[in-house]
Amino acid sequence: MDSSELEHVLERLEVGREEEEEEEEEEEEEEEETSNLPVLNDSDEEIEEEEDISTSDTEEKSKYQLNEVKKSTEAQFRDHYMTKITQAFGTDLDTIRQEANFTTMRLNVLINSLEAGIDIFSSLEQDIILAETQ
């Protein structure tokens, strides 16, 4: 992985952190503003609710998009990790597969056990590893 790819990954992570911090600051400001507001009549409350709905829709879309990127990265890393594991331990896995008492249930346990190793990698490490493979 060259330095430009690493810098790109770090920039993506920093942008994500900054967006989260901005969202938290905005939420805190909104809470402070709403605690100092005068009592509103029914029509004012309806207008405020409509504004809140459009704001919350935008926030939900942003969060959804961030979650989709994260899921995409996690899925890509899972595929990469499992490919590397099966390449490295192909002979051993084939030996296990050929055992007489190897059932579907045991296959699922084996897959889950292999996938458990993914948890030792942080999101940053996963991004770095994926950047190296591209």
Side-chain angles (χ1 to χ4, degrees):
M1 167 186 255
D2 66 4
S3 61
S4 64
E5 291 174 339
L6 181 57
E7 288 176 16
H8 177 69
V9 170
L10 293 174
E11 286 174 14
R12 285 185 21 214
L13 291 173
E14 186 63 32
V15 167
R17 282 191 207 133
E18 289 173 356
E19 289 175 355
E20 288 176 4
E21 290 173 359
E22 288 174 4
E23 287 177 11
E24 289 174 3
E25 289 175 6
E26 289 174 3
E27 289 175 6
E28 289 174 3
E29 289 174 3
E30 288 176 8
E31 288 176 7
E32 289 175 8
E33 290 173 1
T34 56
S35 65
N36 297 328
L37 290 177
V39 177
L40 304 173
N41 62 31
D42 290 340
S43 63
D44 289 340
E45 288 177 2
E46 290 174 8
I47 292 170
E48 187 176 293
E49 287 176 11
E50 289 175 9
E51 290 173 356
D52 287 344
I53 290 171
S54 65
T55 302
S56 66
D57 286 346
T58 304
E59 290 173 0
E60 286 180 26
K61 287 178 184 176
S62 294
K63 289 177 182 177
Y64 176 78
Q65 289 171 342
L66 288 174
N67 285 338
E68 287 301 310
V69 169
K70 183 177 179 182
K71 287 179 185 176
S72 173
T73 301
E74 288 174 354
Q76 288 176 355
F77 185 77
R78 181 210 173 273
D79 292 344
H80 174 73
Y81 176 84
M82 293 299 283
T83 299
K84 290 295 185 182
I85 289 294
T86 54
Q87 287 173 349
F89 300 103
T91 306
D92 297 327
L93 293 171
D94 195 44
T95 302
I96 293 170
R97 183 185 61 82
Q98 293 175 2
E99 290 181 2
N101 61 353
F102 190 69
T103 63
T104 304
M105 188 172 89
R106 289 184 181 209
L107 173 63
N108 290 333
V109 170
L110 177 61
I111 291 170
N112 290 338
S113 299
L114 293 173
E115 287 178 341
I118 293 172
D119 295 337
I120 65 170
F121 297 96
S122 70
S123 297
L124 175 61
E125 290 171 321
Q126 290 181 13
D127 287 341
I128 291 170
I129 292 169
L130 287 175
E132 287 178 348
T133 62
Q134 295 174 352

